[in-house]
Amino acid sequence: MPELPEVEVVKKSLENKLKNLTIKRVFINNNKLRYKISNRQFYRIKGKKITSVKRRSKYLLINLNEDLTILAHLGMTGKFFIIDKNSKKQKTSFYYSIKKNEFKHDHITLFLSKGFKLIYNDVRKFGFLKLLRTKNIFTTDHLKFLGPEPLTNEFNLKYITKFIINKKVTIKNLLMNQKFVSGLGNIYCNEILFLCKLNPLKNVEKINKKELANIVKFTKKILKASIVKGGSSIKDFANTEGKNGNFQQKFNVYNREKSKCNRKNCLGIIRKIYTSNRSSFFCSRCQNK
DNA sequence: TTCTTTGTTCCGGA
DNA sequence: GTCCGGAACAAAGA
């Protein structure tokens, strides 16, 4: 379940390894992702060079020359694998077969110069790849309504204070709202609220200035820590070498229903509730309303 | 068979 | 008209 830190880790990896490589061949094993890929359109990237890789929220922007950008979203289980000639996966089998489990969910393969391959793998197929004009990229429906990046100075106390005027939402829903701040998902929202000692159902009208400042502080802190550690994991995230992130041991509340609260001297028990069709985890004692 | 998972969209009520 | 929360949807594995 990749959120901002995981996507950032993938972005760095793609940027480091793929920059300036040329796409030699495009192989589409399955074009039915979240949005159906037009094979004919996608084959146009053959011969193009990867000039840079950027991230906006949870989206990856793989920039090619000639004004083309592959906009990618990993959804729940999307992964990019970079394979070079020394890689195990390539040694196992060059050919792709849907009968072989190993390759079952490899939907798109780009054969690159210098013997590299870039594979898009997605078990649930909630992710997508779209080929767009670079010059139009930030005005596409996917990106144009996104709120500020949480790690920029744009995301600050003043911004939050202004945004929540006349809003009646719960703090959990506010953090999940991509128009408010972009890139947070369910896991990090739960963890941020734990660090802030805020109940997910608390209405933003009832949150004081000090607590709002804490939201800014802890959001940045936890995202930075996770990026440094290589992205979190649960079970679905893997970086481009297929290794899981190691942030997963650090979760205080996510998936810890009925466990003891990690906060020193708290002794509370982690509870799980559903809000807006999402699981919320919180300590019934130190995150009480 | 049924349940679970998340981002996004849609719809109805306030 | 606008805001908000809940339902629905996508796919596949347990």
Side-chain angles (χ1 to χ4, degrees), chain A residues 92-270:
Chain A
T92 310
S93 169
F94 181 79
Y95 299 100
Y96 290 78
S97 164
I98 54 165
K99 290 173 192 166
K100 281 202 160 189
N101 244 9
E102 188 181 359
F103 301 117
K104 190 175 173 186
H105 304 295
D106 288 355
H107 305 305
I108 311 284
T109 303
L110 302 184
F111 294 80
L112 305 166
S113 51
K114 295 184 181 171
F116 281 83
K117 285 195 290 186
L118 177 65
I119 296 171
Y120 181 70
N121 174 292
D122 192 344
V123 174
R124 296 279 193 277
K125 298 193 190 78
F126 286 4
F128 68 82
L129 304 182
K130 266 188 186 180
L131 188 62
L132 298 164
R133 290 280 167 203
T134 309
K135 64 171 189 273
N136 299 334
I137 201 77
F138 289 106
T139 57
T140 60
D141 289 342
H142 296 291
L143 304 184
K144 68 180 178 185
F145 295 119
L146 291 176
E149 287 284 324
L151 290 176
T152 63
N153 289 333
E154 225 184 312
F155 183 62
N156 57 38
L157 178 60
K158 197 176 166 187
Y159 168 78
I160 296 192
T161 309
K162 196 176 171 189
F163 190 95
I164 64 175
I165 292 172
N166 296 328
K167 294 269 195 308
K168 290 187 165 68
V169 289
T170 63
I171 183 61
K172 174 81 187 305
N173 285 343
L174 181 75
L175 291 176
M176 293 288 283
N177 182 355
Q178 301 297 304
K179 289 175 188 165
F180 168 63
V181 61
S182 61
L184 302 179
N186 198 36
I187 297 169
Y188 287 98
C189 287
N190 278 299
E191 294 299 311
I192 291 162
L193 291 175
F194 173 80
L195 295 177
C196 296
K197 295 186 188 177
L198 286 170
N199 187 289
L201 296 179
K202 189 159 181 170
N203 195 293
V204 292
E205 292 173 314
K206 293 178 181 170
I207 294 179
N208 66 38
K209 196 175 168 182
K210 171 78 176 148
E211 290 169 323
L212 292 176
N214 273 340
I215 290 170
V216 175
K217 185 175 90 177
F218 286 120
T219 299
K220 292 174 193 282
K221 192 175 170 180
I222 197 168
L223 294 178
K224 281 181 190 169
S226 180
I227 291 168
V228 168
K229 287 173 193 294
S232 82
S233 173
I234 307 302
K235 58 176 186 272
D236 291 315
F237 172 70
N239 65 23
T240 58
E241 285 157 5
K243 289 163 93 176
N244 289 330
N246 53 16
F247 193 71
Q248 58 200 332
Q249 296 97 348
K250 292 279 184 179
F251 289 138
N252 282 306
V253 286
Y254 191 81
N255 245 353
R256 292 194 65 241
E257 189 187 12
K258 293 177 184 168
S259 300
K260 285 177 189 162
C261 178
N262 282 339
R263 202 184 301 276
K264 206 176 174 184
N265 300 325
C266 174
L267 304 173
I269 300 293
I270 306 305

